[in-house]
Amino acid sequence: MSSEMLPAFIETSNVDKKQGINEHQEESQKPRLGEGCEPISKRQMKKLIKQKQWEEQRELRKQKRKEKQKRKRKKLERQCQMESNSDGNDRKRVRRDVVHSTLRLIIDCSFDDLMVLKDIKKLHKQIQRCYAENRRALHPVQFYLTSHGGQLKKNMDENDKGWVNWKDIHIKPEHYSELIKKEDLIYLTSDSPNILKELDESKAYVIGGLVDHNHHKGLTYKQASDYGINHAQLPLGNFVKMNSRKVLAVNHVFEIILEYLETRDWQEAFFTILPQRKGAVPTDKTCESASYDPQSVRMEECGLDSDSSEEEDSRNELDSPREEKQDKENHTESTGNSLPH
């Protein structure tokens, strides 16, 4: 190599070395895969955490939006319904027009030891439904909860502490026979041969609070007989034919009675309360639109048989009469408070 070319070669080599050093520095400044990142500030950490939570709660927010829209839609429907009323009364006005019934309706909770915790919880939900419906009713009854204690009370204490503040209800640890005169008591049970024609508001009607899945068939009728009190069954079979088992929940019985007190029509009461999935139809077309009047209408005129052998299979079942979702969840579960069909 000539002496003239040597300085140029050295200068070129120095430039290459400087470029190599600069590239190396740039590479070293870039974070490498697998190497730890530089420490971040608390503010940056909070932002990252919030971003992660935001992504994780995306579905939850979506669900809440749907629920909010559903509540708004229901509220709008209620407002439209109130506006469409011919009398123009709003809800507060209706509540002032409430007429309390003197009829006493008792849920007998003396079967606590015959139920497992799962069934106790179902009974608790039915009682909650009864309480809510009675508070909304135009003719609320004198509501009694007797023999209150054991597993039921414990479950209510743990899951529904507000029950101690319930209004317009008599919650007693005593048995109903200790609170009300024997001659005023009528136990509602499908095993009874007596068909109830109308409600006597001077009486106290007892509903057996038992979710037993038909394990204790006839128990409520036996108890009524043992205590020497009157018993009867609602005239369900005289007005309704269903394509499923003729079993009702405690809250079904309770709501049917509330509805009858308002309409004085057994058929309308049954068809208002019974779940649609049961496929209830009138037993006779000639009775389809007729109101039940024990003084003017005889059951025989409609070709009705009050001694149907199917009545022996009637019991309570845990399902909600007006909530389709609850119907689907509970359509196979029955309570021991038997009812007529």
Side-chain angles (χ1 to χ4, degrees):
M1 182 180 298
S2 65
S3 57
E4 295 178 356
M5 297 177 61
L6 184 60
F9 175 77
I10 295 174
E11 184 177 352
T12 303
S13 300
N14 291 336
V15 171
D16 292 341
K17 287 180 180 180
K18 288 181 180 180
Q19 290 178 349
I21 292 172
N22 291 337
E23 291 176 357
H24 179 72
Q25 288 176 346
E26 290 178 359
E27 289 294 329
S28 63
Q29 290 174 358
K30 294 181 180 180
R32 296 181 181 179
L33 185 64
E35 292 183 359
C37 297
E38 295 181 3
I40 60 177
S41 66
K42 289 183 179 180
R43 180 177 296 180
Q44 290 174 322
M45 179 64 73
K46 288 181 180 179
K47 287 183 178 180
L48 291 174
I49 292 174
K50 286 183 179 180
Q51 180 66 27
K52 184 178 180 181
Q53 290 176 344
W54 176 267
E55 295 295 333
E56 291 176 349
Q57 296 177 358
R58 186 186 301 274
E59 291 299 322
L60 180 61
R61 292 195 304 275
K62 184 177 179 181
Q63 184 66 25
K64 285 184 177 180
R65 284 196 299 270
K66 288 183 179 180
E67 292 176 356
K68 187 176 181 180
Q69 292 173 355
K70 186 177 180 182
R71 287 195 298 269
K72 286 184 177 180
R73 186 166 58 252
K74 287 186 176 181
K75 184 178 179 180
L76 182 61
E77 289 174 357
R78 287 196 298 268
Q79 290 175 347
C80 293
Q81 186 176 3
M82 288 193 301
E83 291 174 359
S84 64
N85 289 340
S86 58
D87 56 5
N89 290 336
D90 59 13
R91 186 169 182 176
K92 292 183 178 179
R93 179 66 178 274
V94 171
R95 286 299 300 175
R96 287 198 293 269
D97 294 338
V98 165
V99 178
H100 290 265
S101 172
T102 57
L103 182 146
R104 288 158 290 179
L105 198 49
I106 303 165
I107 296 181
D108 174 20
C109 303
S110 63
F111 307 101
D112 192 86
D113 58 335
L114 299 178
M115 292 182 283
V116 296
L117 181 58
K118 180 180 178 181
D119 294 333
I120 290 288
K121 290 181 178 181
K122 291 170 184 173
L123 175 61
H124 176 203
K125 290 181 179 179
Q126 294 182 33
I127 292 171
Q128 288 177 315
R129 176 90 183 197
C130 294
Y131 173 74
E133 292 298 327
N134 195 50
R135 292 279 291 168
R136 287 194 289 261
L138 290 178
H139 300 289
V141 298
Q142 308 301 312
F143 188 10
Y144 283 78
L145 205 62
T146 62
S147 300
H148 183 251
Q151 297 182 87
L152 178 61
K153 183 178 183 301
K154 182 180 179 182
N155 183 72
M156 292 175 70
D157 288 336
E158 292 176 352
N159 302 306
D160 185 20
K161 295 180 181 179
W163 73 267
V164 296
N165 298 319
W166 283 2
K167 300 177 181 179
D168 301 324
I169 184 172
H170 308 279
I171 303 178
K172 304 291 184 180
E174 296 88 358
H175 191 267
Y176 61 84
S177 61
E178 302 176 35
L179 302 171
I180 299 173
K181 294 186 293 185
K182 182 183 292 187
E183 55 267 27
D184 289 344
L185 291 165
I186 299 176
Y187 213 116
L188 297 177
T189 169
S190 68
D191 297 300
S192 172
N194 306 319
I195 306 295
L196 195 65
K197 295 181 179 180
E198 62 180 356
L199 295 175
D200 184 347
E201 296 194 46
S202 67
K203 299 295 184 181
Y205 295 88
V206 184
I207 303 172
L210 174 62
V211 179
D212 71 335
H213 309 279
N214 283 333
H215 294 158
H216 302 284
K217 189 175 180 179
L219 182 61
T220 52
Y221 175 67
K222 182 178 184 301
Q223 185 183 100
S225 301
D226 291 343
Y227 281 104
I229 64 176
N230 294 324
H231 45 76
Q233 58 169 280
L234 297 179
L236 180 62
N238 295 340
F239 294 92
V240 180
K241 181 179 180 181
M242 296 186 293
N243 59 11
S244 62
R245 296 175 61 213
K246 301 175 180 64
V247 288
L248 302 176
V250 169
N251 57 289
H252 284 170
V253 189
F254 198 100
E255 292 177 65
I256 286 171
I257 291 176
L258 289 178
E259 188 69 24
Y260 177 80
L261 290 174
E262 183 176 343
T263 64
R264 296 293 170 176
D265 186 328
W266 282 119
Q267 183 166 286
E268 183 175 345
F270 292 137
F271 280 92
T272 300
I273 303 303
L274 291 176
Q276 292 182 356
R277 66 174 181 77
K278 289 183 175 295
V281 295
T283 54
D284 195 304
K285 292 182 179 179
T286 60
C287 299
E288 187 170 357
S289 60
S291 297
Y292 183 77
D293 184 352
Q295 296 179 350
S296 61
V297 181
R298 296 176 58 199
M299 289 186 294
E300 290 79 8
E301 292 176 353
C302 295
L304 303 174
D305 181 7
S306 63
D307 297 325
S308 173
S309 61
E310 292 181 349
E311 289 171 359
E312 296 179 358
D313 297 327
S314 176
R315 260 176 161 69
N316 281 338
E317 180 180 11
L318 178 62
D319 43 18
S320 170
R322 292 170 183 167
E323 299 178 10
E324 184 177 352
K325 181 178 179 180
Q326 189 173 355
D327 284 342
K328 292 179 180 179
E329 293 175 351
N330 303 319
H331 75 279
T332 59
E333 299 158 352
S334 59
T335 74
N337 175 56
S338 303
L339 289 181
H341 40 279

